[in-house]
Amino acid sequence: MELTPRFPTFLHGGDYNPDQWLDHPEILHQDIEMMKRTHVNCVSLGIFAWAQLEPEEGKYDFAWMDDLVERLWASHIHVCLATPSGARPAWMADKYPEVLRWDRFFRPRHFGGRHNHCPSSPVYQEKVTAMDEALARRYAAHPAVILWHLSNEFSGDCYCPRCQEAFRAYLRERYGTIENLNRSWYTSFWSAMYTSFDQIEPPGPMGQESLPAMKLDWRRFSTLQCRRFIEMEKRAVRRFCPDLPCTANLMEDFHDYDYFELSGSLDLVSWDCYPAWGRGDNTETARNYAMNHDMMRSFLDRPFLLMESTPSLVNWKKVNQLKRPGMHLLSSMQAVAHGAQSVMYFQWRKGRGGAEMFHGAVMDHDLREDTRVIRDVTEVGLTLERLSHLYHAPLKRPQVCILYDWNTRWALDYAEMGMPGNMGYLETVREHYGCLYEQGISVDFRNCERFDPDEGYALVIAPMLFMFSSGIEDRLRRYVEQGGTLVMTYVSGMVDGTDQAFLGPTPYGLTDVLGIAYQELDALYPEERNHALYRENTLLEIRDFCSIIQAGRAQVLASYTDDFYAGSPCITRSVFGLGHALYMAARLTPEGLARFYQDLLKDLGILSPFPHPLPHGVIVTRRADHLFLQNYSGREVRIPTDRCWKEMIHGQTLRDCLVLPVNGLLILRSEA
Ligand code: GAL
């Protein structure tokens, strides 16, 4: 599947910041020579180059970039051209302090760092537009340029008076009247009532912090602010080349903006992936990042770009470990297996000084051309070339969908219930995901708004779907009625889209579908456990949360064994229409959860794409007709096989036994 009409195969390369090296022509020369040798075909250029591109207000200097674009192109290296709005020059902050952000204590920030701009500053908007148009006018039609990389890792909120006013305008538009807003924010408690929109400030430590619905609206507003900024940049760059696609690099596990929403303003999703691969067993890390990849693919339901990763180490974790041998190829191919159309790095060359001088890069300070990192990077480049046929192969629609929703995430974070601030939504989603992942079963993600009951999923899992918004209950009902299988858990369907509790039985609108009704939530201390007796002979362990439910017509699959609710239902299943709806009232430990899903997947006939059982830490992921067999277990593994396999990197035929060293990878196609 082509990402851009101008680029026919996997991208390999990374952030290139030559603006640090303009007085070192020999370095620039070595850069391009080494890019060719490492099979790099693309760089992201100019991400933080504003100070060099416009050294004085209105005086642009594109000469160095002209020269580089030509030299890169002469070596067949393409360019994702960045807009430099992620960091601005000192002269601008000095002359127009309004371009800088205000913090949540309502204090203006000073010049420095990056990602420090006010999105509603008219001056900043004008300056960014002018810069983006200038870049577009000059380069967008250049054959080397294949993609716009808008800004860098959009993040954060601004609390300046202008952004506050924009928040109030957003609320006026959303609620129409102050009475409506009061009702939706439930201000009738603690005298929180407003009599005018003008009284409203953003939520925070300086004032109102006790209205969860308000905090939720602030997050939605921040998402919208970011979207508006992206749209503004898109308009600017598109003026001169309407068909060049735009991306923005997203981040892992990001909380503050709703990425399903935000992606609506992007042509392509790309993201920055920085796992802490360690020594030994990396299975859990692999699971978490596999899930991130699947989410990124799901936002626009199409292949994505791995925009940044490190070829060796980062410099900002508590302990910065090198990638062990094999891990660079393995982790890069993990991304490809999940639908990435690129492997890109931060950054091409280590800076001599400044913020990230010790962050891993392809080229190191010692200027050597034969390092371990360079060999690893070259191996990835060659592998991507050998897999080029996969670039075009359509991705298969997974059979399983997980509902993950930013509104629920925020609402659970702000909910003072159970374990306030520590409800563990993301971790729970990961644990459910992991049960499928470990069995080689692919997963899509949808949020409430995007879930479509007719997409054909055999199984839909909605872990902790606390907030039912966009009428999700109706679509889930239809999904089950038509023959789907739904798994729901504790704390589902408790609040509506304005974060107010539904009155009446919950999960709202689905109690007849699930055949149960929720009653109470019990939270356990970390050392406490409960258990559920499952299918009459298996004891599943429970931690953190037990909800007490009343089972109506649902069949009870497991009951609590301990405490005053011993004997009451814990896992249930109901038949509704042509489908099934299962309810899990408690948080099972990972072993219990794995057991539950093993049975369910077997019942549903959802099978691993790999025909043999795999030991812990060996994961199979399918992309088109290729099976990516990945060893994260930290030890060598041998898998007996009675099939004949074609190994796709080196082209050998494998039979009898598949051998995976530590961090080993086999990309296989079945020959028989
Ligand atoms: C990313 C960022 C890069 C670089 C990198 C270091 O979050 O976009 O510019 O700072 O982290 O790991």
Side-chain angles (χ1 to χ4, degrees):
M1 201 188 267
E2 280 183 24
L3 289 174
T4 137
R6 298 198 197 166
F7 204 81
T9 193
F10 287 113
L11 308 182
H12 182 228
D15 284 20
Y16 185 36
N17 299 306
D19 29 317
Q20 300 170 70
W21 300 101
L22 297 179
D23 52 354
H24 283 267
E26 74 292 356
I27 293 279
L28 299 178
H29 176 76
Q30 190 194 38
D31 282 342
I32 294 185
E33 286 311 302
M34 288 307 292
M35 284 176 195
K36 290 194 277 189
R37 278 184 32 199
T38 50
H39 297 252
V40 158
N41 58 23
C42 178
V43 294
S44 302
L45 191 64
I47 296 177
F48 295 112
W50 201 331
Q52 270 87 347
L53 290 171
E54 193 181 357
E56 279 176 53
E57 185 169 13
K59 286 207 176 128
Y60 294 118
D61 175 7
F62 290 118
W64 63 272
M65 198 177 250
D66 290 350
D67 178 49
L68 267 157
V69 170
E70 287 312 326
R71 282 161 65 181
L72 288 162
W73 187 226
S75 297
H76 309 289
I77 297 164
H78 293 73
V79 173
C80 297
L81 192 58
T83 66
S85 61
R88 63 228 48 80
W91 60 255
M92 195 191 296
D94 198 26
K95 184 160 176 202
Y96 310 103
E98 68 159 74
V99 302
L100 299 177
R101 208 164 270 190
W102 285 36
D103 70 13
R104 57 199 199 104
F105 298 97
F106 305 132
R107 292 178 307 209
R109 302 226 352 224
H110 295 208
F111 174 70
R114 50 183 182 167
H115 309 143
N116 179 15
H117 67 265
C118 165
S120 32
S121 151
V123 172
Y124 199 53
Q125 292 178 0
E126 184 197 310
K127 295 286 174 203
V128 170
T129 301
M131 169 54 76
D132 290 2
E133 286 181 356
L135 283 167
R137 192 180 300 114
R138 200 166 188 98
Y139 301 110
H142 195 289
V145 177
I146 55 169
L147 181 71
W148 285 109
H149 179 301
L150 299 182
S151 201
N152 190 69
E153 293 190 340
F154 285 108
S155 59
D157 310 317
C158 176
Y159 292 76
C160 77
R162 215 174 285 100
C163 286
Q164 293 197 33
E165 195 45 52
F167 182 46
R168 288 186 281 270
Y170 166 79
L171 297 172
R172 272 194 197 97
E173 160 105 26
R174 190 175 171 87
Y175 294 108
T177 65
I178 199 69
E179 292 75 27
N180 244 338
L181 174 137
N182 279 313
R183 251 191 310 278
S184 301
W185 283 5
Y186 204 76
T187 56
S188 48
F189 195 46
W190 286 9
S191 273
M193 203 101 72
Y194 294 97
T195 50
S196 150
F197 281 98
D198 298 333
Q199 296 158 346
I200 301 172
E201 291 178 337
M206 295 301 287
Q208 184 54 274
E209 263 199 305
S210 312
L211 291 176
M214 177 196 205
K215 293 201 261 187
L216 216 78
D217 273 346
W218 174 251
R219 296 262 58 85
R220 290 168 175 152
F221 164 73
S222 286
T223 304
L224 180 68
Q225 285 280 84
C226 183
R227 272 195 86 161
R228 286 177 177 151
F229 200 85
I230 291 176
E231 294 291 346
M232 177 198 80
E233 291 216 64
K234 261 169 73 178
R235 273 194 305 280
V237 296
R238 287 264 168 83
R239 256 192 77 190
F240 300 93
C241 193
D243 59 351
L244 202 58
C246 294
T247 192
N249 48 340
L250 307 183
M251 285 177 273
E252 57 197 50
D253 310 336
F254 192 65
H255 175 272
D256 288 359
Y257 307 149
D258 178 343
Y259 273 172
F260 276 105
E261 262 301 300
L262 200 76
S263 307
S265 293
L266 305 175
D267 303 310
L268 271 179
V269 164
S270 63
W271 81 286
D272 301 344
C273 172
Y274 290 106
W277 300 115
R279 307 156 63 159
D281 186 347
N282 282 296
T283 312
E284 193 176 318
T285 306
R287 174 201 70 181
N288 296 346
Y289 284 82
M291 178 167 127
N292 286 333
H293 289 308
D294 282 346
M295 256 197 216
M296 296 292 163
R297 189 193 64 243
S298 298
F299 293 143
L300 290 180
D301 206 18
R302 57 179 305 207
F304 58 93
L305 292 176
L306 179 64
M307 188 57 90
E308 292 181 24
S309 61
T310 176
S312 56
L313 43 58
V314 296
N315 65 339
W316 45 263
K317 302 221 188 235
K318 275 210 178 95
V319 175
N320 295 295
Q321 262 191 357
L322 293 173
K323 276 180 167 171
R324 318 326 272 184
M327 186 46 91
H328 185 55
L329 181 67
L330 177 61
S331 57
S332 301
M333 290 306 120
Q334 180 192 37
V336 172
H338 288 268
Q341 299 292 64
S342 67
V343 175
M344 310 273 284
Y345 312 118
F346 177 86
Q347 59 179 331
W348 169 256
R349 183 184 284 278
K350 271 185 191 172
R352 284 188 81 178
E356 303 195 295
M357 62 190 284
F358 296 114
H359 191 288
V362 182
M363 299 302 294
D364 213 325
H365 296 137
D366 59 13
L367 306 182
R368 281 174 55 204
E369 299 188 348
D370 61 347
T371 61
R372 186 177 78 95
V373 172
I374 290 172
R375 285 194 293 277
D376 282 355
V377 165
T378 310
E379 187 184 22
V380 167
L382 278 166
T383 303
L384 288 170
E385 285 169 7
R386 289 181 187 145
L387 293 177
S388 61
H389 53 279
L390 261 190
Y391 181 81
H392 296 284
L395 303 181
K396 260 180 92 114
R397 158 84 63 233
Q399 288 178 282
V400 182
C401 167
I402 294 184
L403 292 183
Y404 178 84
D405 198 293
W406 257 262
N407 289 292
T408 273
R409 182 169 178 191
W410 296 329
L412 278 170
D413 280 353
Y414 304 144
E416 301 198 4
M417 68 185 282
M419 299 185 195
N422 194 20
M423 293 295 285
Y425 177 55
L426 183 61
E427 293 69 23
T428 304
V429 173
R430 281 179 179 152
E431 283 175 3
H432 285 254
Y433 173 86
C435 296
L436 302 139
Y437 171 67
E438 279 171 21
Q439 297 200 43
I441 291 161
S442 308
V443 173
D444 272 346
F445 286 87
R446 296 287 181 266
N447 66 355
C448 286
E449 199 184 327
R450 287 262 310 277
F451 173 68
D452 172 356
D454 302 320
E455 277 192 291
Y457 296 112
L459 173 62
V460 171
I461 304 170
M464 296 180 78
L465 194 65
F466 181 57
M467 178 177 284
F468 278 5
S469 56
S470 317
I472 184 69
E473 61 279 9
D474 298 334
R475 276 168 290 135
L476 287 174
R477 162 184 297 272
R478 190 141 62 82
Y479 168 73
V480 178
E481 218 163 28
Q482 293 170 357
T485 296
L486 170 69
V487 175
M488 293 216 110
T489 73
Y490 50 95
V491 308
S492 290
M494 295 182 74
V495 298
D496 66 15
T498 63
D499 207 8
Q500 288 190 41
F502 286 112
L503 296 180
T506 62
Y508 174 76
L510 291 179
T511 50
D512 58 335
V513 176
L514 292 155
I516 60 107
Y518 160 87
Q519 293 180 331
E520 291 180 86
L521 181 69
D522 192 21
L524 308 185
Y525 285 95
E527 64 286 1
E528 290 178 336
R529 293 286 179 272
N530 201 325
H531 295 89
L533 185 62
Y534 170 67
R535 297 201 166 175
E536 284 165 18
N537 56 9
T538 307
L539 216 51
L540 306 179
E541 199 180 33
I542 292 167
R543 60 184 164 90
D544 302 341
F545 296 116
C546 299
S547 62
I548 305 177
I549 59 169
Q550 188 199 11
R553 34 167 221 88
Q555 176 198 358
V556 177
L557 299 184
S559 307
Y560 290 109
T561 59
D562 309 338
D563 221 316
F564 73 94
Y565 38 89
S568 76
C570 178
I571 304 177
T572 61
R573 172 197 178 134
S574 97
V575 180
F576 186 82
L578 300 174
H580 292 91
L582 291 99
Y583 190 82
M584 193 182 283
R587 181 176 286 169
L588 300 178
T589 56
E591 300 70 34
L593 203 62
R595 171 63 205 275
F596 168 82
Y597 278 110
Q598 263 159 28
D599 291 348
L600 181 62
L601 295 170
K602 204 151 116 213
D603 289 352
L604 294 172
I606 301 177
L607 300 174
S608 162
F610 190 69
H612 311 302
L614 291 173
H616 166 81
V618 179
I619 302 294
V620 67
T621 308
R622 178 169 56 199
R623 174 164 174 171
D625 60 351
H626 288 40
L627 298 181
F628 289 64
L629 201 58
Q630 306 146 69
N631 181 10
Y632 300 103
S633 69
R635 50 194 176 76
E636 184 187 280
V637 166
R638 294 170 170 266
I639 302 159
T641 180
D642 52 5
R643 305 265 181 111
C644 183
W645 301 93
K646 171 130 193 240
E647 189 279 318
M648 303 304 293
I649 303 183
H650 304 287
Q652 311 124 295
T653 300
L654 304 176
R655 25 173 94 80
D656 302 330
C657 186
L658 303 171
V659 182
L660 289 154
V662 175
N663 300 333
L665 164 82
L666 288 172
I667 302 177
L668 303 171
R669 209 155 65 178
S670 176
E671 296 240 292

